Amino acid sequence: GGCCEIEEIIFICFYAAYVVAFFVLYHTTILKPMRLLSVFVHEFGHASACFMTGGSIKKIEVYENEGGVTGYTGGCRTLVIPAGYVGGAFWGGVFVALSGSKIGSTIVASLISFALLISLCLKPNTMVVALSLGFSSLLIGFIFIEWFVFDPLLEFITLFFGVFIGMYSVRDIYDDLITRTAEGSDAVACNKLYPCCLPRCVGVQFWMVAFAFQVAGIYCALVWMVTEHN
């Protein structure tokens, strides 16, 4: 009943391998669908925060150039604006945390599929439709394989999703909010709401939070795995 049984060691090794693969293969064509999915998670973060604070979502769009936009009215802008970068980091951490078990990974795959299918009701553009149908079909297929054909499989798939989406947020925050101040970015929007919060300071805070979510995700996953053994 220790913390270093074979399952935990395998989990940590896969996590490390996925992090290395993310940074080494980031710009490759094979990972473009994952980059686009990460953009979708960013935009869905804005949309979720808007909905939960009483706003109305007009559209969610993701573009071939890996940009995206969420059209909305109302809602609490103090929560909606940071919910893109911070939301992506949060969900990355949650997906990692839940990927240590069969049930947890099934919840992750179901959550991603649900969010993608819900987006079809929000005036999606062609790219969002393709992402929704493609990834939800894949994930539903992986759920079926996990429960009726072969396991463990889904745990490693959802761990990859969690690592990629979480690391994408870390990298995106660094590129867009810390190394430069991009007009129209979420950090600039925060600065306009609260002038005392300089854009790059906002970026540093988002970056620290994004790292914290990944660390918390690993910790929670390992605790869950050890608890299951005991």
Side-chain angles (χ1 to χ4, degrees):
C3 65
C4 294
E5 295 186 16
I6 186 65
E7 289 86 353
E8 287 83 55
I9 294 172
I10 291 172
F11 181 89
I12 293 169
C13 289
F14 266 88
Y15 182 92
Y18 287 157
V19 171
V20 171
F22 172 85
F23 287 104
V24 171
L25 303 175
Y26 180 80
H27 290 292
T28 59
T29 304
I30 196 170
L31 288 183
K32 188 175 182 69
M34 286 301 300
R35 296 197 297 274
L36 292 170
L37 178 66
S38 299
V39 174
F40 170 82
V41 173
H42 176 112
E43 299 305 330
F44 199 81
H46 288 306
S48 301
C50 175
F51 177 77
M52 289 188 292
T53 56
S56 176
I57 304 148
K58 301 301 182 184
K59 64 178 180 178
I60 296 179
E61 296 184 350
V62 174
Y63 306 123
E64 176 71 22
N65 66 357
E66 297 172 27
V69 65
T70 301
Y72 68 93
T73 56
C76 176
R77 286 178 60 79
T78 301
L79 297 177
V80 174
I81 291 170
Y85 290 109
V86 176
F90 170 78
W91 286 114
V94 169
F95 296 162
V96 169
L98 293 175
S99 292
S101 74
K102 185 173 185 173
I103 293 174
S105 60
T106 303
I107 291 171
V108 171
S110 301
L111 282 172
I112 296 173
S113 299
F114 178 75
L116 286 164
L117 294 173
I118 283 290
S119 71
L120 296 178
C121 303
L122 301 172
K123 297 182 180 176
N125 64 344
T126 305
M127 183 59 71
V128 171
V129 172
L131 287 171
S132 178
L133 297 179
F135 273 107
S136 60
S137 298
L138 274 175
L139 288 169
I140 291 168
F142 283 132
I143 291 173
F144 178 83
I145 293 170
E146 175 75 16
W147 285 90
F148 300 107
V149 181
F150 173 81
D151 72 278
L153 171 67
L154 191 60
E155 290 95 320
F156 300 115
I157 301 295
T158 57
L159 177 61
F160 176 70
F161 276 59
V163 171
F164 194 99
I165 292 167
M167 288 295 109
Y168 181 91
S169 296
V170 170
R171 188 184 188 283
D172 210 26
I173 290 166
Y174 182 78
D175 283 349
D176 292 351
L177 308 185
I178 296 177
T179 60
R180 62 194 174 96
T181 300
E183 190 61 36
S185 72
D186 293 349
V188 171
C190 283
N191 174 249
K192 289 178 180 177
L193 271 182
Y194 302 101
C196 62
C197 299
L198 300 177
R200 285 189 176 176
C201 291
V202 172
V204 170
Q205 292 173 55
F206 284 1
W207 204 42
M208 293 170 66
V209 169
F211 267 118
F213 280 138
Q214 279 294 295
V215 173
I218 299 168
Y219 175 79
C220 290
L222 293 174
V223 168
W224 189 345
M225 293 169 78
V226 170
T227 302
E228 281 194 331
H229 293 156
N230 295 335

